[in-house]
Amino acid sequence: DFGARETRLPVMDGIPPVPFSGLPDEASELQKPPSMSGVVYLTRGVSPGFAAAQRMEDDGTLDAALAEKEHEAFVALLRERGGPLATVVDIPADPDQPDCVFVEDTLVALPGRGVLRCAPHDSRAGEVPPVADAAASVSFEFPAGRVHVDGEALASNGERIEGGDVLYVRGGDDVYHHYFVGVGNRSNSKGADALRRALAASASRARAAKTNADSSKNSGAGDDSALFRVHEIDMSLDKTWLHLKSALTWAPYVGFVVSSTECPLFRAVRDALKTHEATSVNKIKSDPVVVHRARQGAANVLVVPGGVVFCHPAAAAEVKKAGGKQIEVVSVEQPELGRADGALTCGVLVLDPFFEWGSFS
């Protein structure tokens, strides 16, 4: 039965957790999944043409040199705090792509070592191939395997999706993985459908791999209803934000980090989760961390394997308070990149070999 969970992992909140590299386990610190081995971070340098980057408001000329210094400091922190066996791949910048440092918008990471190739704004289409090629060339040492491109959003079919609009939230026993897509600005419903297809393809590939490993099992068609849910969030509810993850993000053991509890986008996300299971890991029904300086990107937090959360200094104390001993907080501020509507998640793609669908028994 594809939907059943294996029981080798420790039980939390009455259910075995979905594996995710390095997350501390409340049941037993001695039974953590392997941490950090093989994790790959894809980053990209700041374009010499950064001054022409797209942004919501023009507050003067952007400084490419200053943005590059911020990016280099961020990459150094990834190397320092991303784990001893992690690899940072820094893709060369493209002088003809002003926004290329914001690699998040080119791909979406899927469980089971999959990715979706995004279809960003036409002016940014050239950013996708170098990042997708870098991802497809990744070969993990442990567990051994490679990254698969499980789907592609096609602008020619009217599909638009940028990674900054895709918010991942870990689920519970009813639905293992939640993806929220902000639609109506940089992404649309057809782009959300492309994500659904890619997730289904990734799950099917993982199911087949499990079946091949155990020839006595018959994979069948499988039922994806308990595996993932893609929710669409109308960005016209609050036109303040370029992307969904500018307004709110999520971190395990922390829950939501938001610009305001009254933010219509946050309310729409919470409404979509009303009937879904809350756990001590996802904390989807707990009070969110509220960061009032969110217009400087302070509500945007980056989760890296190992229980590490990168966040704006304005959010650090409250994020740590919410996550307690289960997380470590790293404070990062990028004011020049922020002037181009950049935030922490924008500058990296996390490819974690332990980010799995769950179990295939």
Side-chain angles (χ1 to χ4, degrees), residues 185-262:
N185 188 14
R186 306 289 292 193
S187 305
N188 61 21
S189 290
K190 288 185 177 181
D193 284 339
L195 176 58
R196 292 184 180 98
R197 294 195 302 271
L199 285 163
S202 176
S204 178
R205 174 174 52 77
R207 183 188 296 113
K210 180 66 177 179
T211 301
N212 290 339
D214 185 352
S215 58
S216 66
K217 302 284 186 178
N218 185 345
S219 66
D223 179 7
D224 294 342
S225 61
L227 291 178
F228 70 86
R229 192 72 50 84
V230 176
H231 312 264
E232 297 179 28
I233 302 299
D234 183 2
M235 293 296 290
S236 71
L237 293 171
D238 186 347
K239 297 182 179 180
T240 307
W241 310 102
L242 181 67
H243 289 121
L244 179 62
K245 283 192 289 193
S246 301
L248 71 151
T249 46
W250 172 89
Y253 300 106
V254 174
F256 289 106
V257 182
V258 304
S259 54
S260 166
T261 55
E262 301 303 313

Side-chain angles (χ1 to χ4, degrees), residues 276-329:
H276 292 289
E277 182 182 12
T279 72
S280 60
V281 177
N282 68 32
K283 299 179 75 169
I284 58 175
K285 297 177 183 177
S286 300
D287 290 339
V289 173
V290 180
V291 189
H292 296 292
R293 290 179 58 192
R295 293 188 187 281
Q296 287 76 37
N300 181 275
V301 301
L302 169 68
V303 179
V304 304
V308 178
V309 180
F310 285 46
C311 63
H312 191 282
E318 291 302 314
V319 168
K320 178 60 179 175
K321 181 179 178 181
K325 66 179 182 180
Q326 306 292 359
I327 66 167
E328 296 180 38
V329 170

Side-chain angles (χ1 to χ4, degrees), residues 100-148:
C100 70
V101 67
F102 303 131
V103 292
E104 175 186 48
D105 290 325
T106 63
L107 301 176
V108 175
L110 312 176
R113 306 179 190 180
V115 295
L116 165 73
R117 282 180 61 130
C118 294
H121 188 276
D122 284 341
S123 66
R124 301 188 61 189
E127 298 175 32
V128 178
V131 184
D133 289 347
S137 69
V138 169
S139 180
F140 294 112
E141 294 183 4
F142 178 74
R146 52 179 286 268
V147 172
H148 299 262

